[in-house]
Amino acid sequence: MDSKFSKGEQSRGRLLAAAASEFAAKGFHRARVSDIVKAAGLTQASFYQYFESKEGLYQQLMDEFFAKLWELADGGSKVTALDEADVYGQVRENLLALFRFFQGRPELTQMVLYQAEAGEELHRKLAATVSANLRQNQAAGHVRADLSPEVAAEAMVAVCYRLTSRFLLAGEKTAEQLADEAVSFLAHGILQEKTREGARHE
């Protein structure tokens, strides 16, 4: 019984992986069930054991991806109650988890973040979640009080998108490298300390 269940889960996983590749390459409307099962090394009969339709498979991919993405996007809530000394490390862990998630699902990430018709709505929802967490962390004293949470959130989401596209999905940097770069940028900015000090006195 266990071996049959394991085999079934493997087949379902192969279909999901093949579908992610097909949808990313061709878009939802041009992707065909016949191509998905061929790429998965299965039959159309096997496909309908796990999914009622192409639409059902697509929705399953989206549901699983978004459930994890929203969980990761809310990572800032883990920072609020921390002592100041622990904030930097937790922010890095949050970013690392996000980049690892994208790295492990390159086709799906490409499809959802850059090709989905609802991309702008997704961006706004992510930014709203990040903005709410930034407000909480302003109240906790972890984030500058003069910073606009809305502007900062939009910038953070855009930076993560671009780093993922330019470096992570291209294989030029690892999730660990990007997490280090991103947390350093967020914590210290791009100006030298003496330059920042000069700006404060103007």
Side-chain angles (χ1 to χ4, degrees):
M1 181 69 71
D2 290 341
S3 62
K4 288 184 179 180
F5 179 79
S6 177
K7 184 177 180 180
E9 285 298 298
Q10 289 177 12
S11 296
R12 181 179 179 277
R14 284 159 59 187
L15 286 167
L16 287 169
S21 297
E22 288 293 314
F23 289 140
K26 302 175 182 177
F28 173 78
H29 296 292
R30 291 178 56 212
R32 299 184 301 179
V33 171
S34 59
D35 293 329
I36 292 171
V37 297
K38 182 179 180 180
L42 298 169
T43 65
Q44 291 212 25
S46 297
F47 176 92
Y48 291 107
Q49 288 180 359
Y50 303 102
F51 306 101
E52 293 184 357
S53 62
K54 182 178 74 170
E55 290 78 7
L57 171 57
Y58 181 83
Q59 191 59 53
Q60 184 67 44
L61 281 170
M62 294 298 99
D63 289 347
E64 292 182 3
F65 187 91
F66 284 125
K68 186 61 177 179
L69 182 59
W70 296 133
E71 176 187 331
L72 293 170
D74 195 38
S77 62
K78 299 178 182 178
V79 175
T80 307
L82 295 178
D83 293 331
E84 184 176 346
D86 299 322
V87 170
Y88 188 96
Q90 184 61 59
V91 172
R92 183 189 181 278
E93 285 301 310
N94 291 347
L95 289 166
L96 179 58
L98 180 66
F99 287 130
R100 280 178 173 169
F101 174 67
F102 290 153
Q103 188 175 42
R105 301 157 181 80
E107 294 91 354
L108 203 53
T109 296
Q110 183 73 26
M111 179 176 67
V112 172
L113 297 188
Y114 308 108
Q115 297 182 15
E117 295 178 0
E120 178 60 25
E121 181 182 357
L122 169 63
H123 183 105
R124 289 180 181 275
K125 286 183 178 180
L126 286 172
T129 299
V130 174
S131 177
N133 285 329
L134 286 173
R135 287 185 183 280
Q136 292 177 1
N137 283 292
Q138 280 180 321
H142 299 321
V143 174
R144 282 170 34 204
D146 64 324
L147 197 68
S148 164
E150 293 80 11
V151 172
E154 289 285 350
M156 290 170 67
V157 171
V159 165
C160 286
Y161 273 29
R162 186 57 185 163
L163 291 179
T164 297
S165 175
R166 173 64 179 82
F167 297 108
L168 191 67
L169 298 184
E172 293 188 21
K173 288 185 180 292
T174 66
E176 289 76 10
Q177 289 172 322
L178 286 182
D180 287 337
E181 294 276 0
V183 73
S184 177
F185 176 76
L186 290 173
H188 306 298
I190 61 174
L191 297 180
Q192 292 280 12
E193 179 62 29
K194 61 182 180 181
T195 305
R196 296 200 300 271
E197 285 295 328
R200 293 191 187 104
H201 296 301
E202 289 183 356

